Amino acid sequence: MAAARERRPTIADVARLAGVSPSAVSFALNGRPGLAEATKSRILAAAAELGWRPSRPAQALSRGRAGALGLVLSRETDAIGADPFFPAFIAGVESVLSPRGDSLVLHVTNPADEAAAYHRLAADRRVDGVLLTDMRVDDPRPELTTGLGLPAVVVGDPGCADGLCAVSLDDKPAFATAVARLAELGHRRIAHVAGPREFHHSRRRQESWEQAVRAAGLTPGPVLPGGFTADGGAAATRQLMALGVGERPTAIVFANDLSATAGLAVAHRLGLSVPEDLSVVGYDDTPLAAYTHPPLASARADALGWGAAAARALDEVIARGRADDVELAPARLLPRASMGPAPDPARAAPSGPGSTAVRPQRQPEHEQAAEPAPEPTVRREP
Amino acid sequence: MAAARERRPTIADVARLAGVSPSAVSFALNGRPGLAEATKSRILAAAAELGWRPSRPAQALSRGRAGALGLVLSRETDAIGADPFFPAFIAGVESVLSPRGDSLVLHVTNPADEAAAYHRLAADRRVDGVLLTDMRVDDPRPELTTGLGLPAVVVGDPGCADGLCAVSLDDKPAFATAVARLAELGHRRIAHVAGPREFHHSRRRQESWEQAVRAAGLTPGPVLPGGFTADGGAAATRQLMALGVGERPTAIVFANDLSATAGLAVAHRLGLSVPEDLSVVGYDDTPLAAYTHPPLASARADALGWGAAAARALDEVIARGRADDVELAPARLLPRASMGPAPDPARAAPSGPGSTAVRPQRQPEHEQAAEPAPEPTVRREP
DNA sequence: TCAGTTGTTTAAACCGCTTTAACAGCGGCG
DNA sequence: CGCCGCTGTTAAAGCGGTTTAAACAACTGA
């Protein structure tokens, strides 16, 4: 079975077949001018005949560029799985890399080894630059990569880019819309179940929620940590629902779908109906969001476009040393049936559990985004 | 700020600093014998002082090995996100690669470009071998990679390896356990919502289910396609629940959690209680499974270990030309509350929704999960 | 006829490492 | 003393491309 591992053709083989020198082959391949058209096509034909493609390691060595971008994921292993962001993001990166024949080098580490991973990537010359995702508050990586001379782009807002090029996507409008809508529906006590404190985007989402609540003339309800996890979301929900009737929120805005879905389940288990007794909003628009019970209102960000934009920006940083910040169209709220009118305070029984009646859903599904999407804009750096 | 992109140290710089020749540095680095202990440590000290690490492209070129493994994902973009398998699998691969300083090259393609991606990977010499996942029935890739002389390992059972080394993890026991348990609980009509027909593991899961049902002395209930998606799972569940009372299953074994969770939501929307009216089993143990309402019985496979085992096997194939098949510990069922005793046939409602028997399934529009629910017909007695 | 172009092609150096083969230095052996 | 076999070290030849500078034809115009 083991196919005789024949020697793969090299540039010399192609040159010989075409009756030219190796340099000519290189010129033809790279579209350099100064080669007769006839010669060029003869060379390309020879290359095709042999099925030759230049060896990437050899190219990388002589060009001094690896032809690859790096992505280091340092989440805890089990936290990666639940998030639909990365697969789509990576696909977006690929859509830029693939046509050029470049590739993506992925490293999964635990947080403790993160810095070492970047050091290695830089010293190795295995990649030409890296994408920094999951930015944390006071994230050391912008300084680290700058110090290492490793080109990098921040996938997140400029506030955490520390001078690096930032490719961002605003989640504020989605939270603003969600909260505004809830306020319209009569909710007066809107809680937030936040993501991990260390993530920049967790904080941003919390701020967005808070701002929106204040903008609606309300007092921000309680904020509980949900850690972006199902466990956290469930625990937070239980805590919130255990509050006295005067403090218990009638709506919860979760930092992501995973915690929101778990919250939904907890609500059911407590005998609460959503959205009759409690409105719930998530973030991420996981594939399941439209299929929870009831369908979970959530916000969708264009992860694919984000990946592509980040890859392009990194390209530019690598080539020109710097690139302008990019701001993508903001995430858009998908208002699904988990948002509904606030329960009538008069009817609100002080006891949550008890009314186990199954109420049919009447809420029609709106799939349109609540807001028209602005065009992506390129912001000049000051 | 753009750090002055100084020239990175090369092996020559280290050699100069240590007062030896470049070859000596290479020897020291690679632990070659025949170098005086004192010299060796002097060299390593010099290397550390300069922060030098060998250039991977240069190493790859001279060693003739890229020092990287490849993984090509050719799922449809949106189908990748929901699956917790890949992130964990990749982390497992990394756990083997990382200590050696090797890395994983990831390519995301659409199915149409899949073959081209492997061709490129092989001709490029960018990777030393590839991991084949998501095996399809009559998958062309084993033959393709063999023909290309590209070392490969199949992540899936030997039946689809076509002579290649297979690293498999049996899902049969999990299905067998689930079905046996359901039978014990009194279920007599157990349906299956299958994954895409083209995937080898979809078929295997279906076979496992069927075998188990027969082993319990029952007649396999209806099988519907669920496509591993929420849409598909929801549609299939609606169809099953619309069956006449004589045919309607009391338990559904889904091919994965995504479709199962959607099925759960549909059941609720139809006014059915789980597990009182219907038992549901998934597969994958997504992070949410324990937090659906009710918690979803599911099966957990060790994706991390699978990735590590696959990477090790591929290493061996690369080094020795072949490796023995590996069989990992089978997936285990996590019996959660979504499995319960079969409903008492005496109390079951006499007919399905409306009086129409099986309604041709309206193609579920992508987001239209919350289609107006038919009047609940099977209602739990108070 | 010859220097000066212009347009094509190639020799040769180089990228940074590995590896083979050769080379010093040295104590022991005959 | 000269030769041998060691040990420790290095020169030099790749690996497979890219790139610079020079060589070479074929044409100019003077």
Side-chain angles (χ1 to χ4, degrees):
Chain A
M1 307 258 86
R5 195 82 63 86
E6 338 98 51
R7 197 178 59 79
R8 266 158 232 262
T10 74
I11 199 172
D13 299 316
V14 177
R16 208 169 304 124
L17 180 59
V20 295
S21 73
S23 337
V25 177
S26 175
F27 280 26
L29 185 77
N30 298 308
R32 283 293 197 72
L35 206 53
E37 205 51 50
T39 316
K40 181 172 173 180
S41 52
R42 185 156 38 94
I43 292 174
L44 293 180
E49 184 179 336
L50 295 178
W52 174 79
R53 294 178 121 279
S55 145
R56 299 299 296 207
Q59 272 190 330
L61 181 59
S62 65
R63 297 221 260 236
R65 294 199 311 102
L69 302 185
L71 179 60
V72 176
L73 295 185
S74 72
R75 296 189 171 189
E76 303 294 343
T77 314
D78 57 339
I80 298 175
D83 195 337
F85 173 76
F86 276 108
F89 180 81
I90 288 174
V93 172
E94 271 282 328
S95 71
V96 172
L97 261 40
S98 176
R100 299 196 312 233
D102 286 353
S103 48
L104 179 70
V105 171
L106 186 65
H107 279 279
V108 181
T109 73
N110 50 10
D113 301 335
E114 184 186 42
Y118 286 101
H119 268 105
R120 220 170 61 181
L121 238 28
D124 266 5
R125 301 202 135 313
R126 195 197 298 266
V127 300
D128 300 315
V130 292
L131 298 166
L132 304 180
T133 62
D134 279 338
M135 297 308 290
R136 301 186 295 273
V137 177
D138 293 325
D139 200 300
R141 292 175 293 166
E143 200 180 326
L144 175 63
T145 54
T146 303
L148 291 169
L150 181 64
V153 152
V154 166
V155 179
D157 73 75
C160 53
D162 208 0
L164 293 181
C165 165
V167 179
S168 57
L169 185 155
D170 197 1
D171 44 19
K172 190 162 297 214
F175 282 92
T177 309
V179 170
R181 190 146 194 139
L182 289 170
E184 259 174 52
L185 289 166
H187 293 272
R188 292 290 164 264
R189 203 174 300 281
I190 302 174
H192 181 58
V193 172
R197 291 288 295 167
E198 70 261 32
F199 286 130
H200 200 272
H201 57 288
S202 298
R203 298 239 187 141
R204 243 189 95 76
R205 290 178 194 180
Q206 180 174 336
E207 283 162 20
S208 303
W209 159 82
E210 188 172 332
Q211 249 176 49
V213 172
R214 291 198 197 284
L218 304 174
T219 308
V223 176
L224 266 70
F228 280 159
T229 64
D231 275 351
T237 306
R238 267 191 294 267
Q239 259 182 280
L240 288 170
M241 291 303 98
L243 291 175
V245 73
E247 301 173 87
R248 187 196 306 161
T250 60
I252 310 179
V253 175
F254 288 82
N256 74 345
D257 277 5
L258 186 57
S259 54
T261 310
L264 225 45
V266 166
H268 282 129
R269 207 152 298 136
L270 293 173
L272 297 167
S273 283
V274 177
E276 287 77 2
D277 302 315
L278 176 70
S279 282
V280 168
V281 182
Y283 187 97
D284 276 345
D285 190 41
T286 46
L288 261 177
Y291 284 94
T292 54
H293 179 66
L296 179 64
S298 188
R300 179 185 300 173
D302 177 17
L304 200 80
W306 206 347
R312 276 190 294 264
L314 183 48
D315 268 356
E316 200 176 326
V317 171
I318 291 168
R320 267 169 284 289
R322 47 164 285 114
D324 295 325
D325 286 357
V326 178
E327 170 129 18
L328 300 160
R332 295 182 310 158
L333 181 71
L334 304 172
R336 299 201 185 90
S338 66
M339 298 172 76
D344 183 347
R347 274 189 12 181
S351 63
S355 55
T356 50
V358 179
R359 292 172 230 197
Q361 297 300 313
R362 280 292 131 109
Q363 202 82 15
E365 183 87 352
H366 309 290
E367 214 26 61
Q368 296 97 342
E371 283 181 358
E375 289 299 302
T377 58
V378 171
R379 229 174 19 210
R380 295 277 322 168
E381 268 185 24
Chain B
M1 301 268 78
R5 196 84 61 87
E6 338 99 50
R7 198 178 59 80
R8 266 157 232 263
T10 74
I11 198 172
D13 299 316
V14 177
R16 209 170 303 125
L17 179 59
V20 295
S21 74
S23 337
V25 177
S26 175
F27 280 23
L29 184 77
N30 298 308
R32 284 294 196 76
L35 207 53
E37 207 50 50
T39 315
K40 181 172 172 179
S41 53
R42 185 157 37 95
I43 292 174
L44 293 181
E49 184 179 336
L50 295 179
W52 174 79
R53 295 179 119 279
S55 144
R56 299 297 296 205
Q59 272 189 330
L61 182 58
S62 65
R63 299 221 259 236
R65 294 199 310 104
L69 302 186
L71 179 60
V72 176
L73 295 186
S74 72
R75 297 190 170 189
E76 303 294 343
T77 313
D78 58 337
I80 298 175
D83 194 337
F85 172 76
F86 277 109
F89 180 81
I90 288 175
V93 172
E94 271 281 328
S95 71
V96 171
L97 260 40
S98 177
R100 299 195 312 232
D102 286 353
S103 48
L104 179 70
V105 170
L106 185 65
H107 279 278
V108 181
T109 73
N110 51 9
D113 300 335
E114 184 187 44
Y118 286 100
H119 268 106
R120 217 170 62 181
L121 237 30
D124 267 3
R125 301 198 134 313
R126 193 197 300 265
V127 301
D128 299 316
V130 291
L131 298 166
L132 305 180
T133 62
D134 279 337
M135 297 308 288
R136 300 188 295 274
V137 177
D138 293 325
D139 201 301
R141 291 175 292 167
E143 199 178 328
L144 174 63
T145 53
T146 303
L148 290 169
L150 182 64
V153 152
V154 165
V155 179
D157 73 74
C160 53
D162 208 1
L164 294 180
C165 166
V167 179
S168 57
L169 185 154
D170 197 0
D171 43 18
K172 190 162 297 214
F175 281 92
T177 310
V179 169
R181 188 145 196 141
L182 289 170
E184 259 173 54
L185 288 166
H187 293 272
R188 292 291 165 262
R189 204 173 298 281
I190 303 174
H192 181 57
V193 172
R197 291 286 296 166
E198 72 262 32
F199 286 131
H200 200 273
H201 57 288
S202 298
R203 298 239 187 142
R204 243 189 95 75
R205 290 179 193 179
Q206 180 174 337
E207 282 163 20
S208 304
W209 159 83
E210 187 172 333
Q211 250 176 50
V213 172
R214 290 198 198 284
L218 304 174
T219 308
V223 176
L224 267 68
F228 280 160
T229 65
D231 275 350
T237 307
R238 270 192 293 266
Q239 260 182 279
L240 287 171
M241 292 303 98
L243 291 175
V245 73
E247 301 173 88
R248 189 196 303 162
T250 59
I252 309 180
V253 175
F254 288 81
N256 73 345
D257 277 5
L258 186 58
S259 55
T261 310
L264 225 44
V266 165
H268 283 128
R269 208 152 297 137
L270 293 173
L272 297 166
S273 285
V274 176
E276 287 78 2
D277 302 314
L278 176 71
S279 282
V280 168
V281 182
Y283 188 96
D284 274 346
D285 191 40
T286 46
L288 261 178
Y291 284 94
T292 54
H293 179 65
L296 179 64
S298 189
R300 179 183 302 173
D302 177 17
L304 201 80
W306 207 348
R312 276 191 294 266
L314 183 48
D315 268 357
E316 201 176 326
V317 171
I318 292 167
R320 267 170 283 290
R322 48 161 286 109
D324 294 327
D325 286 358
V326 178
E327 169 126 19
L328 301 159
R332 292 184 318 153
L333 181 72
L334 304 172
R336 299 202 183 91
S338 65
M339 297 172 76
D344 183 347
R347 297 196 337 175
S351 71
S355 14
T356 15
V358 185
R359 292 177 304 173
Q361 196 53 48
R362 205 168 74 190
Q363 191 63 18
E365 209 182 309
H366 180 229
E367 284 302 338
Q368 197 156 8
E371 63 182 321
E375 209 43 52
T377 50
V378 183
R379 179 167 276 140
R380 206 145 81 85
E381 300 295 312

